[in-house]
Amino acid sequence: MNRQNPKSLSHKNQIIINNKTFKIMEKKVLGIISAVVVLLLLIPFIAMQLTDEVNWTLLDFVTMGCLLFATGLACAFVIKRARKLELQITLCVAVLAVFFFIWAELAVGII
């Protein structure tokens, strides 16, 4: 019987030692999501400097930042947990549909 050292496991060409690689990857994903949220929030911020037609308050930025961050976390969770590509795509599309519905509701009040 082949016994592996519990502190060191090899998985998909990665060596995971005491679960540290996993935590590094989680931090990397959170960093990417955060960077994308900041870049997306720069769009209305820059537009506010160029025109008077865009008028966001601090509450608008905080709300959209939370909504974007939650959407990114939900998609990352789906990609991590779902094994089949078709399921990952379907669930991420559903998450994005909910995001767009909430965005439209907050923007113009559809319902």
Side-chain angles (χ1 to χ4, degrees):
M1 185 189 283
N2 187 7
R3 298 181 80 186
Q4 292 182 342
N5 184 353
K7 292 184 179 181
S8 176
L9 299 172
S10 178
H11 180 68
K12 293 184 182 179
N13 297 330
Q14 284 185 344
I15 297 176
I16 300 171
I17 301 173
N18 290 337
N19 216 12
K20 287 183 181 176
T21 302
F22 180 71
K23 291 179 182 179
I24 290 172
M25 292 302 289
E26 282 181 353
K27 289 180 182 178
K28 187 175 183 180
V29 169
L30 287 176
I32 291 170
I33 293 170
S34 299
V36 169
V37 168
V38 168
L39 288 175
L40 287 174
L41 289 176
L42 279 175
I43 295 170
F45 181 76
I46 293 171
M48 285 175 52
Q49 309 306 315
L50 301 175
T51 181
D52 291 335
E53 293 181 17
V54 180
N55 187 19
W56 280 31
T57 64
L58 179 62
L59 182 62
D60 294 328
F61 281 100
V62 170
T63 302
M64 187 51 78
C66 290
L67 188 58
L68 287 168
F69 194 73
T71 302
L73 285 179
C75 284
F77 179 78
V78 163
I79 291 169
K80 181 180 175 185
R81 295 292 181 186
R83 297 197 183 270
K84 293 186 178 182
L85 180 63
E86 295 84 13
L87 184 59
Q88 290 175 347
I89 292 171
T90 303
L91 292 175
C92 280
V93 167
V95 167
L96 290 174
V98 169
F99 164 76
F100 285 122
F101 178 77
I102 294 172
W103 182 18
E105 180 63 31
L106 290 172
V108 294
I110 294 173
I111 294 178

